[in-house]
Amino acid sequence: GKGYYLTPGLIDSHVHLFGVPGMSFDQVKGHKEIARAYFRQLPRSYLYFGYTTVIDLAVSDRSVIDDFNKAPLHPDVVHCGEPLVYANGYPMSWIAPAERFQMFGNFIYDPAQAAAIPKQFRPEDHTPEAGVARIAKGGGKCVKTHFERGFGANRNLPVMSDAVFADVKSAAVKNGLVLVTHGNSFEAQSFAVKGHADVLAHGMWHWGPHNASKELPAEIRALLDQIVARRTGYQPTMQVLYGMLAYLDPAYLNDPAVRKVVPAVLADWFATPEGKWFKEEVAEGESDADALAGFEAPLRRQKQVLAYLASKDANFLFGSDTPSSPTYGNLPGLNGYMEMRRLHEAGLSLEQIFRAATINNARSFKLDARVGTIEKGKAANLLLMKMSPLKDLATYDSIVTVWVGGKTIGRDSLAAGN
């Protein structure tokens, strides 16, 4: 390794291992061989871009993690267990009422919705305390919660009250778990900060009553100052928006990196009319030009927030949210590399990005006794790079060797098809 750079392995603290990018649940069922090929490659794709630890924030099928861990080469997996969702709120609202309580069994009972909750679920089994206890018993290291009123045609979803969230926080502390809250709006992040969430799982691209403002409003700056002062973990997840924009970029599928991280059979399927089904969801009937224009304001708002936080050296945590939705614009490993590029464009320094993906993630998720730095006694999750990560972002695509648990892996051998 003389002349090269040795670094700790990277940590992606926001992944969803159960989803196949670009495919709906029904399409996964209808293309089982393609899905199997994807899951065989999945752990190798994270390693290809240097992610030796991944944190699954919402486990919907434990067998996916079990299979991931059985792969000959795979990153270490930490998880939050089943997400702790509010009855009939996000994200269970995506599922038909007859099925959602089976799919999202770790929900918080809301007495005001008793008529809309199946009778077999007892209120005493679905308190915040019971839900957090289930996560801890299942080996979860964190609790994933949500504050999301909805989007599109559905903008009136039920959300937790301050009192319910306080009970969740108390139970998380009691069980030694990290409290993570999904929220991409000023309202949601205000709620989470007020309730002392440990990690905010998204950037802020919705400013609510301040959406028309071209400058960062004083009220939002005040909230961001609290986030900085408390050292609240902040996951920008810019690729949530850019991942959807991939459908409006004709060059995206021609990027050679795509076929490094997904098997050829899936990459070929992406290019078919069926493989581009999600574009209709993204465009919502608009032309490509109009759809692109619709993303401009949310992206601008998000970049303004991140630039402010970067100037204050906030506690950034690196998380790619892979896949954030059924888009082929969020591919394992590659999505993280693209996230880093977006963060740098938004104002984060190369040092801030490197720390976010190593020691900041390790400390915030209580993993720093084992990973996050190169020290005697820690796991030998390491990367050998041709360039310094403090000099050029291209470093993260110039990895020579990966070590995970002390096992040596040449990067090229991890690419799909090898």
Side-chain angles (χ1 to χ4, degrees), residues 347-402:
L348 273 71
S349 69
L350 293 177
E351 180 178 351
Q352 286 174 320
I353 292 170
F354 180 67
R355 290 178 66 86
T358 54
I359 190 59
N360 287 4
N361 261 341
R363 286 174 177 159
S364 292
F365 282 92
K366 302 180 182 180
L367 305 175
D368 52 314
R370 187 172 185 274
V371 296
T373 57
I374 302 174
E375 295 183 59
K376 185 178 179 180
K378 290 194 175 183
N381 290 356
L382 306 167
L383 306 177
L384 190 66
M385 300 177 170
K386 291 181 180 179
M387 300 179 285
S388 167
L390 304 183
K391 297 294 184 183
D392 194 326
L393 266 181
T395 297
Y396 297 103
D397 198 20
S398 73
I399 297 168
V400 177
T401 307
V402 179

Coordinates of all heavy atoms in Angstrom, one line a residue, residues 347-402:
G347 N -22.2 22.3 -0.3 CA -21.4 23.1 0.7 C -20.6 22.4 1.7 O -19.8 23.0 2.5
L348 N -20.8 21.0 1.8 CA -20.0 20.3 2.8 C -18.6 20.1 2.3 O -18.4 19.8 1.1 CB -20.6 18.9 3.1 CG -21.7 18.8 4.1 CD1 -23.0 19.5 3.6 CD2 -22.0 17.3 4.5
S349 N -17.7 20.3 3.2 CA -16.3 20.1 2.9 C -16.0 18.6 2.7 O -16.7 17.7 3.2 CB -15.4 20.7 3.9 OG -15.4 19.9 5.1
L350 N -14.8 18.3 2.1 CA -14.5 16.9 2.0 C -14.2 16.2 3.4 O -14.5 15.1 3.6 CB -13.2 16.7 1.1 CG -13.4 17.1 -0.3 CD1 -12.1 17.0 -1.1 CD2 -14.5 16.2 -1.0
E351 N -13.7 17.0 4.3 CA -13.5 16.5 5.7 C -14.9 16.2 6.3 O -15.0 15.2 7.0 CB -12.7 17.5 6.5 CG -12.5 17.0 7.9 CD -11.7 17.9 8.8 OE1 -11.1 18.9 8.3 OE2 -11.6 17.7 10.0
Q352 N -15.8 17.1 6.2 CA -17.2 16.9 6.8 C -17.8 15.6 6.2 O -18.4 14.8 6.9 CB -18.0 18.1 6.5 CG -17.7 19.3 7.4 CD -18.5 20.5 7.0 OE1 -18.7 20.8 5.9 NE2 -18.9 21.3 8.1
I353 N -17.6 15.4 4.9 CA -18.2 14.2 4.3 C -17.5 12.9 4.8 O -18.2 11.9 5.2 CB -18.1 14.3 2.8 CG1 -19.0 15.4 2.2 CG2 -18.4 12.9 2.1 CD1 -18.8 15.7 0.8
F354 N -16.2 13.0 4.9 CA -15.4 11.8 5.4 C -15.8 11.5 6.9 O -16.0 10.3 7.2 CB -13.9 12.1 5.3 CG -13.1 11.0 5.8 CD1 -13.1 9.8 5.1 CD2 -12.3 11.1 6.9 CE1 -12.3 8.7 5.5 CE2 -11.5 10.1 7.3 CZ -11.5 8.9 6.6
R355 N -15.9 12.5 7.7 CA -16.3 12.3 9.1 C -17.7 11.8 9.2 O -18.0 10.9 10.0 CB -16.1 13.6 9.9 CG -14.7 14.0 10.1 CD -14.5 15.3 10.9 NE -15.0 15.1 12.2 CZ -14.3 14.7 13.2 NH1 -13.0 14.3 13.1 NH2 -14.8 14.5 14.5
A356 N -18.6 12.3 8.4 CA -20.0 11.9 8.4 C -20.1 10.4 8.1 O -20.9 9.7 8.7 CB -20.8 12.7 7.4
A357 N -19.3 9.9 7.2 CA -19.4 8.5 6.8 C -18.5 7.5 7.6 O -18.5 6.3 7.4 CB -18.9 8.4 5.3
T358 N -17.8 8.1 8.6 CA -17.0 7.3 9.5 C -17.3 7.5 11.0 O -18.3 7.0 11.5 CB -15.5 7.5 9.2 OG1 -15.2 8.9 9.2 CG2 -15.1 7.0 7.8
I359 N -16.5 8.4 11.6 CA -16.6 8.5 13.1 C -18.0 9.1 13.5 O -18.5 8.8 14.6 CB -15.4 9.3 13.6 CG1 -15.4 9.2 15.1 CG2 -15.4 10.7 13.1 CD1 -15.3 7.8 15.7
N360 N -18.5 10.1 12.7 CA -19.8 10.7 13.2 C -20.9 9.6 13.2 O -21.7 9.6 14.2 CB -20.2 11.8 12.2 CG -19.4 13.1 12.4 OD1 -18.4 13.1 13.2 ND2 -19.7 14.1 11.7
N361 N -21.0 8.8 12.2 CA -22.0 7.7 12.2 C -21.7 6.8 13.3 O -22.7 6.3 14.0 CB -21.9 7.0 10.8 CG -23.0 7.5 9.8 OD1 -24.0 8.1 10.2 ND2 -22.8 7.1 8.6
A362 N -20.5 6.4 13.5 CA -20.1 5.4 14.5 C -20.5 5.9 15.9 O -21.1 5.2 16.7 CB -18.7 5.1 14.5
R363 N -20.2 7.2 16.2 CA -20.6 7.7 17.5 C -22.1 7.9 17.7 O -22.6 7.5 18.7 CB -19.9 9.1 17.7 CG -18.4 9.0 17.9 CD -17.7 10.3 18.0 NE -16.3 10.2 18.3 CZ -15.4 11.2 18.0 NH1 -15.8 12.3 17.4 NH2 -14.1 11.0 18.3
S364 N -22.8 8.4 16.7 CA -24.2 8.7 16.9 C -25.0 7.4 17.0 O -26.0 7.4 17.7 CB -24.7 9.5 15.7 OG -24.1 10.8 15.7
F365 N -24.5 6.3 16.4 CA -25.3 5.1 16.5 C -24.6 4.1 17.5 O -24.9 2.9 17.5 CB -25.4 4.4 15.1 CG -26.5 5.0 14.2 CD1 -26.2 6.1 13.4 CD2 -27.8 4.6 14.3 CE1 -27.2 6.7 12.6 CE2 -28.8 5.2 13.6 CZ -28.5 6.2 12.7
K366 N -23.7 4.6 18.3 CA -23.1 3.9 19.4 C -22.3 2.7 18.9 O -22.3 1.6 19.5 CB -24.1 3.5 20.4 CG -24.9 4.6 21.0 CD -26.0 4.2 22.0 CE -26.8 5.3 22.6 NZ -27.8 4.9 23.6
L367 N -21.6 2.9 17.8 CA -20.8 1.8 17.2 C -19.3 2.1 17.3 O -18.5 1.3 16.8 CB -21.2 1.6 15.7 CG -22.6 1.4 15.4 CD1 -22.8 1.3 13.9 CD2 -23.1 0.1 16.0
D368 N -18.9 3.2 17.9 CA -17.6 3.7 17.9 C -16.6 2.8 18.7 O -15.4 3.0 18.6 CB -17.5 5.1 18.3 CG -18.1 5.4 19.6 OD1 -19.3 5.0 19.8 OD2 -17.5 6.1 20.5
A369 N -17.1 1.9 19.5 CA -16.2 1.0 20.2 C -15.6 0.0 19.2 O -14.6 -0.7 19.5 CB -16.9 0.3 21.4
R370 N -16.3 -0.2 18.1 CA -15.9 -1.2 17.1 C -15.5 -0.7 15.8 O -14.6 -1.3 15.2 CB -17.1 -2.2 16.9 CG -16.8 -3.4 16.1 CD -17.9 -4.4 16.1 NE -17.5 -5.7 15.4 CZ -17.6 -5.8 14.1 NH1 -18.1 -4.9 13.4 NH2 -17.2 -7.0 13.6
V371 N -16.1 0.3 15.3 CA -15.8 0.8 13.9 C -15.7 2.4 13.9 O -16.0 3.0 14.9 CB -16.8 0.4 12.9 CG1 -16.8 -1.1 12.7 CG2 -18.2 0.9 13.3
G372 N -15.3 2.9 12.8 CA -15.3 4.4 12.7 C -14.0 5.0 12.6 O -13.8 6.1 12.1
T373 N -13.0 4.3 13.2 CA -11.6 4.8 13.1 C -10.7 3.5 13.0 O -11.1 2.4 13.2 CB -11.2 5.5 14.4 OG1 -11.4 4.7 15.6 CG2 -12.0 6.8 14.6
I374 N -9.4 3.8 12.7 CA -8.4 2.7 12.7 C -7.7 2.7 14.0 O -6.9 3.6 14.3 CB -7.4 2.9 11.5 CG1 -8.1 3.0 10.2 CG2 -6.4 1.7 11.5 CD1 -7.2 3.3 9.0
E375 N -8.0 1.8 14.9 CA -7.4 1.7 16.2 C -7.3 0.2 16.6 O -8.1 -0.6 16.2 CB -8.3 2.4 17.2 CG -8.4 3.9 17.1 CD -9.2 4.5 18.2 OE1 -8.8 4.4 19.4 OE2 -10.3 5.1 17.9
K376 N -6.3 0.0 17.4 CA -6.1 -1.4 17.9 C -7.3 -1.8 18.7 O -7.9 -1.1 19.5 CB -4.9 -1.4 18.9 CG -4.5 -2.8 19.4 CD -3.3 -2.7 20.3 CE -3.0 -4.1 20.8 NZ -1.7 -4.1 21.7
G377 N -7.8 -3.0 18.4 CA -8.9 -3.6 19.1 C -10.2 -3.4 18.4 O -11.3 -4.0 18.7
K378 N -10.3 -2.5 17.3 CA -11.5 -2.4 16.5 C -11.5 -3.4 15.4 O -10.5 -4.0 15.0 CB -11.6 -0.9 16.0 CG -11.9 0.1 17.1 CD -12.3 1.4 16.5 CE -12.7 2.4 17.6 NZ -13.1 3.7 17.1
A379 N -12.7 -3.5 14.8 CA -12.8 -4.4 13.6 C -11.9 -3.9 12.5 O -11.8 -2.7 12.2 CB -14.3 -4.4 13.2
A380 N -11.4 -4.9 11.8 CA -10.5 -4.5 10.6 C -11.4 -4.3 9.4 O -11.4 -5.1 8.4 CB -9.5 -5.6 10.4
N381 N -12.2 -3.3 9.4 CA -13.0 -2.8 8.3 C -12.3 -1.6 7.7 O -12.4 -0.5 8.3 CB -14.4 -2.5 8.7 CG -15.3 -3.6 9.1 OD1 -14.8 -4.8 9.1 ND2 -16.5 -3.4 9.6
L382 N -11.6 -1.9 6.6 CA -10.6 -0.9 6.1 C -10.7 -0.7 4.6 O -11.2 -1.6 3.9 CB -9.2 -1.3 6.5 CG -8.9 -1.6 7.9 CD1 -7.6 -2.3 8.1 CD2 -8.9 -0.3 8.8
L383 N -10.2 0.4 4.1 CA -10.2 0.7 2.7 C -8.8 1.2 2.3 O -8.2 1.9 3.1 CB -11.2 1.8 2.3 CG -12.6 1.6 2.6 CD1 -13.4 2.8 2.2 CD2 -13.2 0.3 2.0
L384 N -8.2 0.7 1.2 CA -7.0 1.2 0.6 C -7.4 2.0 -0.6 O -8.0 1.4 -1.5 CB -6.0 0.1 0.3 CG -4.6 0.5 -0.1 CD1 -3.9 1.1 1.1 CD2 -3.8 -0.7 -0.6
M385 N -7.0 3.3 -0.7 CA -7.4 4.2 -1.7 C -6.2 4.7 -2.5 O -5.1 4.9 -1.8 CB -8.3 5.3 -1.2 CG -9.5 4.9 -0.5 SD -10.4 6.3 0.2 CE -12.0 5.6 0.6
K386 N -6.4 5.1 -3.7 CA -5.3 5.7 -4.5 C -5.1 7.1 -4.1 O -4.0 7.7 -4.3 CB -5.6 5.6 -6.0 CG -5.5 4.1 -6.5 CD -5.8 4.1 -8.0 CE -5.8 2.7 -8.6 NZ -6.1 2.7 -10.0
M387 N -6.1 7.8 -3.6 CA -6.0 9.2 -3.3 C -6.5 9.5 -1.9 O -7.3 8.7 -1.4 CB -6.8 10.1 -4.4 CG -6.3 9.9 -5.8 SD -7.3 10.9 -7.0 CE -8.8 9.9 -7.0
S388 N -6.2 10.7 -1.4 CA -6.7 11.0 -0.1 C -8.2 11.5 -0.2 O -8.5 12.3 -1.1 CB -5.9 12.2 0.5 OG -6.6 12.7 1.6
P389 N -9.1 11.0 0.7 CA -10.5 11.4 0.7 C -10.6 12.9 1.1 O -11.7 13.5 0.9 CB -11.1 10.5 1.7 CG -10.0 10.1 2.6 CD -8.8 10.0 1.8
L390 N -9.5 13.5 1.6 CA -9.6 14.9 1.9 C -9.1 15.8 0.8 O -9.1 17.0 0.9 CB -8.7 15.2 3.2 CG -9.1 14.4 4.4 CD1 -8.2 14.8 5.6 CD2 -10.5 14.5 4.8
K391 N -8.8 15.2 -0.3 CA -8.3 16.0 -1.5 C -9.3 15.9 -2.7 O -9.3 16.9 -3.5 CB -7.0 15.4 -1.9 CG -5.9 15.6 -0.9 CD -5.5 17.1 -0.6 CE -4.4 17.2 0.4 NZ -4.1 18.6 0.7
D392 N -10.0 14.8 -2.9 CA -10.8 14.7 -4.1 C -11.9 13.6 -3.9 O -11.6 12.6 -3.3 CB -9.9 14.2 -5.2 CG -10.5 14.3 -6.6 OD1 -11.7 14.2 -6.7 OD2 -9.8 14.6 -7.6
L393 N -13.1 14.0 -4.3 CA -14.2 13.0 -4.1 C -14.0 11.8 -4.9 O -14.6 10.7 -4.6 CB -15.5 13.7 -4.5 CG -16.4 14.4 -3.4 CD1 -17.6 15.0 -4.0 CD2 -16.7 13.4 -2.3
A394 N -13.3 11.9 -6.0 CA -13.1 10.7 -6.9 C -12.4 9.6 -6.1 O -12.3 8.5 -6.6 CB -12.3 11.1 -8.1
T395 N -11.8 10.0 -5.0 CA -11.2 9.0 -4.1 C -12.1 7.8 -3.9 O -11.6 6.6 -3.9 CB -10.8 9.6 -2.7 OG1 -9.9 10.6 -2.9 CG2 -10.3 8.6 -1.8
Y396 N -13.4 8.1 -3.6 CA -14.3 7.0 -3.3 C -14.6 6.1 -4.4 O -15.3 5.1 -4.2 CB -15.6 7.7 -2.7 CG -15.3 8.4 -1.4 CD1 -15.2 9.8 -1.4 CD2 -15.1 7.8 -0.2 CE1 -15.0 10.6 -0.3 CE2 -14.8 8.5 0.9 CZ -14.8 9.9 0.9 OH -14.5 10.6 2.1
D397 N -14.2 6.4 -5.6 CA -14.3 5.5 -6.8 C -12.9 5.0 -7.2 O -12.7 4.6 -8.3 CB -15.0 6.3 -7.9 CG -15.5 5.3 -9.0 OD1 -15.7 4.1 -8.6 OD2 -15.8 5.7 -10.1
S398 N -11.9 5.2 -6.3 CA -10.5 4.7 -6.6 C -10.1 3.7 -5.6 O -8.9 3.6 -5.3 CB -9.6 5.9 -6.7 OG -9.3 6.4 -5.4
I399 N -11.0 3.0 -5.0 CA -10.6 2.1 -3.9 C -9.9 0.9 -4.6 O -10.3 0.4 -5.7 CB -11.9 1.5 -3.2 CG1 -12.6 2.7 -2.5 CG2 -11.6 0.4 -2.3 CD1 -14.0 2.3 -2.0
V400 N -8.8 0.5 -4.0 CA -8.0 -0.6 -4.5 C -8.4 -1.9 -3.8 O -8.6 -3.0 -4.4 CB -6.5 -0.3 -4.3 CG1 -5.6 -1.5 -4.7 CG2 -6.1 0.9 -5.0
T401 N -8.4 -1.9 -2.4 CA -8.7 -3.1 -1.6 C -9.7 -2.7 -0.5 O -9.6 -1.6 0.1 CB -7.4 -3.6 -1.0 OG1 -6.4 -3.7 -2.0 CG2 -7.6 -4.9 -0.2
V402 N -10.5 -3.7 -0.2 CA -11.5 -3.6 0.9 C -11.2 -4.7 1.9 O -10.9 -5.8 1.5 CB -12.9 -3.7 0.4 CG1 -13.9 -3.6 1.6 CG2 -13.3 -2.7 -0.7

